[in-house]
Amino acid sequence: MPLLQKISSIQKMEKLNSHRGNSPDKAVRISIVTARNAPAHERLINTMTHLGIEPDELFFLGGIEKKNILDIMKPQIFFDDQLGHLKPAAESTPCVHIPFGIRNN
């Protein structure tokens, strides 16, 4: 979460000093791609709001393969806590494993 907060602060600085707004040309874009679905999505939205993090896109996939979205988005980097999501995505996207959470115990 600290890294996401720092990236968000860079995004906010750009927003204050730029006419680009929500343009794809923004230097920093935050997209959240999660396997969550309703009603579990509420926790994520509440956390982001509480921390003042404003993602540009949110994808609640409810079990759909994340690689499908990532192949279209072409992010510069993808972080996930589950190797099962990273292995397929790593074929076309730079990936980082975040070794925290229930699945990593």
Side-chain angles (χ1 to χ4, degrees):
M1 196 57 73
L3 176 61
L4 183 57
Q5 288 174 302
K6 287 181 186 301
I7 292 170
S8 179
S9 68
I10 294 168
Q11 183 185 41
K12 287 175 185 172
M13 284 188 289
E14 181 184 36
K15 188 176 181 180
L16 292 173
N17 298 314
S18 175
H19 63 281
R20 292 186 258 186
N22 198 27
S23 164
D25 298 327
K26 286 172 56 176
V28 177
R29 295 185 65 77
I30 297 173
S31 302
I32 296 176
V33 180
T34 179
R36 293 179 183 177
N37 201 0
H41 71 290
E42 292 176 7
R43 181 173 163 228
L44 173 64
I45 292 172
N46 290 336
T47 299
M48 296 292 111
T49 301
H50 175 75
L51 296 173
I53 296 171
E54 298 177 22
D56 295 291
E57 296 94 15
L58 284 169
F59 296 91
F60 297 100
L61 302 182
I64 297 171
E65 178 64 54
K66 290 181 182 182
K67 181 183 184 327
N68 298 337
I69 299 294
L70 298 171
D71 284 348
I72 293 168
M73 290 177 58
K74 299 184 184 342
Q76 292 176 331
I77 194 163
F78 171 59
F79 299 89
D80 203 289
D81 64 344
Q82 295 181 42
L83 291 173
H85 295 298
L86 291 170
K87 286 180 182 175
E91 296 172 11
S92 56
T93 303
C95 296
V96 176
H97 181 232
I98 305 297
F100 302 104
I102 288 175
R103 303 246 184 208
N104 292 294
N105 289 336

